[in-house]
Amino acid sequence: MDLDLTEEQHMLTETVRSFVDKEMLPYELEIEQKGEVPPELGQRITEKALELGLYAANLPDSVGGGGLDYSSLAILEREYGKVSHALHGFAWRPTELLLACTGDQIVRYLDPCVRAEKTECFAITEPGAGSDIYSMTTKAVQKNGSWILNGSKHFISSHILPDFAIVFAITGIDQNNGKPRKRVSAFLVDRGTPGFDIQIGPRCVSQRAYHNYSLSFDDCSIGPEQMLGQEGEGLDLADKWIKMGRVWVGAGCCGRAERLLDLSLDWAANRKQFGQPIGRFQGTSFKIADMATELQAADLLVMHAARKADQGKMTPADAAMCKLYASEMLHRLAENAVQIYGGMGLMEEFPIERLWRDSRLERIWEGTSEIQRHIISRSLLRPLGA
């Protein structure tokens, strides 16, 4: 990766790379087979991340976070991307949405998350509302000074059973140019609140030890102090998370792609057929050339978006291009790596098959490839009146 990094960013890269190599990668196959991270391993990873100053690195110094800029966070996400989300989830970031906490919310939610004492989840997706957010049906209605929450969420990702959820719900209907538009608000809902149930969802073929949860709310009563931000600001809050989340997906895809390229290079140089390394055959060497070229292009897209974010200039299209190209690049590299390894690429003892399976998810979560293409094309056509 040659991205004109500062000396501090080079040091960050080496620190995170060493952390991943020593504390996470050796356990990847074990947790994949078990379908979960042993609590003692997760705790050890978290403690090491805190010691290195990497935990909550995305939050500002003023709240106890690491205060890294977006370009440095892209480097962090890229290195973490080389290993299962189930493992690096214990070392990464609380959501920036928690910066909207005020008053007692800071003590109850933000501060404990910064100290790794609590974990949250981001609950917006529903069985009938994935990419189409305005199709959500979860509602919160005011009654006797409280909000009564009803509805369900699914595919809510977390490396561990969360302590509380940031739940998005309809709190009313507004008029927008004469058309009704759902008003969406965000709420902080603690696990254990009466009427709130959370269960582990179906096991996914990708990221097998990284859980998805199903949340249901049945006349769940929460106080007005549990609203995050102001009523109707839910989608504005969500958009900040989702937009940067797409850049982080792109960065993580680049990390996994680099791992695939390195593994493929090693195999091509050492695996022999017909009396010579298979890397000497154009069928293999040309694949490797394409892999290296596509990876560099994706890295440049990701860092371009991150640097624009640092300047306050990143657009939704920048983030969408990042996520679209990097996720589809990773898919192509994973396919090439399996082909280079041949049958061995599908064996559990090698990481290739895991990386191949995991790559499939990247084109779906944080907005499908189709959604990203819609965002990009809309940004180009709307100024022309189309």
Side-chain angles (χ1 to χ4, degrees):
M1 180 178 65
D2 183 12
L3 298 172
D4 192 26
L5 305 182
T6 66
E7 182 178 348
E8 290 79 7
Q9 288 172 335
H10 278 295
M11 291 174 61
L12 174 65
T13 302
E14 292 307 314
T15 297
V16 184
R17 184 172 296 164
S18 175
F19 178 34
V20 170
D21 287 347
K22 293 177 181 178
E23 305 294 340
M24 301 186 210
L25 280 176
Y27 305 99
E28 193 176 51
L29 179 57
E30 174 191 343
I31 65 109
E32 176 85 3
Q33 292 173 339
K34 288 182 177 179
E36 62 180 5
V37 178
E40 62 277 9
L41 173 58
Q43 182 62 30
R44 188 165 72 242
I45 291 171
T46 297
E47 289 174 355
K48 187 65 175 178
L50 287 165
E51 178 188 327
L52 293 171
L54 299 175
Y55 200 90
N58 60 314
L59 299 183
D61 297 334
S62 58
V63 301
L68 292 184
D69 59 19
Y70 288 123
S71 300
S72 298
L73 289 171
I75 294 168
L76 183 65
E77 184 62 70
R78 190 184 190 280
E79 293 304 316
Y80 278 164
K82 294 177 181 178
V83 72
S84 168
H85 283 279
L87 288 164
H88 78 65
F90 286 93
W92 196 189
R93 61 181 190 273
T95 169
E96 288 137 334
L97 269 67
L98 292 174
L99 294 175
C101 286
T102 58
D104 188 54
Q105 292 177 346
I106 294 173
V107 177
R108 291 180 60 188
Y109 300 105
L110 175 58
D111 289 348
C113 284
V114 172
R115 296 192 298 262
E117 296 167 358
K118 282 187 176 182
T119 300
E120 83 291 350
C121 65
F122 177 86
I124 195 167
T125 303
E126 299 182 2
S131 299
D132 182 10
I133 292 176
Y134 278 107
S135 290
M136 76 166 65
T137 58
T138 297
K139 293 182 180 179
V141 179
Q142 283 185 306
K143 184 178 180 181
N144 298 326
S146 296
W147 288 97
I148 308 301
L149 195 59
N150 283 284
S152 63
K153 304 289 182 179
H154 80 160
F155 294 162
I156 308 305
S157 304
S158 180
H159 59 288
I160 193 173
L161 182 65
D163 296 289
F164 67 95
I166 302 173
V167 182
F168 294 82
I170 306 300
T171 56
I173 302 293
D174 295 320
Q175 293 297 318
N176 184 28
N177 295 324
K179 296 180 180 179
R181 188 185 182 103
K182 293 177 178 177
R183 187 188 316 139
V184 180
S185 303
F187 296 89
L188 301 161
V189 187
D190 294 300
R191 193 179 80 237
T193 300
F196 173 28
D197 183 61
I198 180 167
Q199 301 288 335
I200 291 182
R203 191 181 185 194
C204 182
V205 69
S206 301
Q207 298 287 349
R208 285 180 173 170
Y210 188 57
H211 299 147
N212 74 86
Y213 292 89
S214 296
L215 284 58
S216 62
F217 306 93
D218 183 11
D219 286 338
C220 177
S221 179
I222 51 178
E225 74 280 358
Q226 298 305 106
M227 181 176 283
L228 183 64
Q230 300 298 313
E231 185 183 357
E233 287 185 349
L235 290 186
D236 289 335
L237 289 172
D239 183 64
K240 294 175 184 177
W241 170 255
I242 291 171
K243 190 162 65 175
M244 284 313 302
R246 288 169 179 159
V247 179
W248 305 147
V249 169
C253 286
C254 289
R256 273 186 289 289
E258 183 178 61
R259 190 175 170 199
L260 282 163
L261 177 59
D262 289 344
L263 288 165
S264 298
L265 283 167
D266 182 70
W267 189 261
N270 293 290
R271 168 70 169 168
K272 293 185 178 180
Q273 291 287 277
F274 306 102
Q276 58 184 323
I278 62 171
R280 292 185 181 175
F281 299 108
Q282 287 184 351
T284 298
S285 64
F286 281 15
K287 285 184 177 65
I288 287 174
D290 289 342
M291 292 165 77
T293 302
E294 290 199 60
L295 172 56
Q296 182 158 319
D299 268 327
L300 291 169
L301 262 177
V302 169
M303 192 54 71
H304 174 69
R307 286 171 175 161
K308 285 187 72 174
D310 283 329
Q311 299 165 4
K313 298 179 180 178
M314 190 185 78
T315 67
D318 291 325
M321 288 180 186
C322 234
K323 202 269 182 184
L324 172 66
Y325 186 79
S327 63
E328 298 202 344
M329 172 277 301
L330 176 61
H331 163 69
R332 292 188 290 270
L333 262 68
E335 284 284 323
N336 279 337
V338 170
Q339 202 66 20
I340 289 169
Y341 270 71
M344 296 307 294
L346 297 174
M347 300 298 110
E348 281 193 349
E349 288 76 12
F350 286 81
I352 297 296
E353 66 90 22
R354 283 198 304 282
L355 294 166
W356 177 57
R357 281 189 288 103
D358 289 351
S359 72
R360 188 62 188 87
L361 183 59
E362 305 298 340
R363 288 178 284 156
I364 295 175
W365 63 4
E366 299 290 350
T368 63
S369 290
E370 290 73 21
I371 287 294
Q372 308 311 320
R373 288 186 168 93
H374 172 68
I375 293 169
I376 296 163
S377 60
R378 183 178 60 187
S379 73
L380 296 169
L381 291 167
R382 273 192 175 176
L384 303 177

